[in-house]
Amino acid sequence: MIDILQAKPSHRSVWETLWRQNIVHFGAADMTDDVIETLWQRILNPDHPMQAWLALEKTGQTGPADDDVVGLAHIIVHPHTFSLRDVAYLEDFWVPDTQRGKGIGSQMIKALTIVAKQQDWGRLYWLTAGDNIAAQRLYDRLTDRVDAVLYKID
């Protein structure tokens, strides 16, 4: 059974395990421990706009440390210029290769959609790489694609 839960202090070890897999996959394996610690503190701070959501597979044990983390989502809630309602940007979304094809990504997006409605967010949105065809297949099943071009300055 998969539970989608907002991260709490007791989830630190399972969150960090999956976060480290994610950063290695995306070429940021050199992320320092102080950056990871600061990210975690932001996630836990109710006054900070960042949230973490985890997909946890129950292992039959007693607590979160005994569950297998099988999905991760980081969201940033922020104001919107066209509405008085906040919107939520899904900045990081990760399901390990070993867990893909089991419907976890779909379950997570659907759970976050429910949260968006409960919190009265005007929108939940994200982007993905143009060559990430597998992710696009999932997203195309769940929502409509937006025609936009991303620009960035580093």
Side-chain angles (χ1 to χ4, degrees):
M1 177 176 149
I2 304 290
D3 288 328
I4 313 298
L5 304 171
Q6 189 167 1
K8 337 181 251 214
S10 61
H11 292 130
R12 171 60 192 254
S13 64
V14 294
W15 167 83
E16 186 171 338
T17 297
L18 199 57
W19 180 240
R20 287 190 183 275
Q21 291 173 17
N22 179 68
I23 61 178
V24 166
H25 178 83
F26 285 104
D30 60 347
M31 184 179 290
T32 61
D33 289 343
D34 64 317
V35 171
I36 293 171
E37 177 61 28
T38 300
L39 173 59
W40 181 246
Q41 292 309 313
R42 289 175 178 170
I43 288 165
L44 295 181
N45 182 346
D47 295 325
H48 198 280
M50 186 173 289
Q51 301 177 5
W53 292 82
L54 302 173
L56 298 170
E57 185 171 39
K58 293 294 184 187
T59 60
Q61 303 297 320
T62 57
D66 297 314
D67 294 339
D68 290 330
V69 62
V70 294
L72 166 72
H74 290 152
I75 292 177
I76 300 173
V77 179
H78 64 89
H80 189 268
T81 57
F82 283 39
S83 170
L84 298 178
R85 297 164 66 195
D86 286 341
V87 295
Y89 174 59
L90 177 56
E91 183 163 9
D92 302 304
F93 188 55
W94 174 253
V95 174
D97 291 340
T98 59
Q99 299 297 325
R100 293 185 186 170
K102 298 179 180 181
I104 295 165
S106 178
Q107 287 180 47
M108 290 189 75
I109 296 285
K110 288 175 182 175
L112 293 172
T113 300
I114 291 169
V115 171
K117 290 180 190 322
Q118 291 170 340
Q119 298 296 316
D120 196 33
W121 299 335
R123 172 184 308 144
L124 173 65
Y125 69 102
W126 61 94
L127 57 89
T128 193
D131 63 352
N132 192 344
I133 303 306
Q136 290 176 41
R137 277 196 299 269
L138 167 64
Y139 304 150
D140 288 343
R141 285 194 308 267
L142 298 173
T143 192
D144 294 326
R145 186 181 293 228
V146 175
D147 184 26
V149 178
L150 173 70
Y151 295 90
K152 75 178 200 172
I153 298 173
D154 288 330

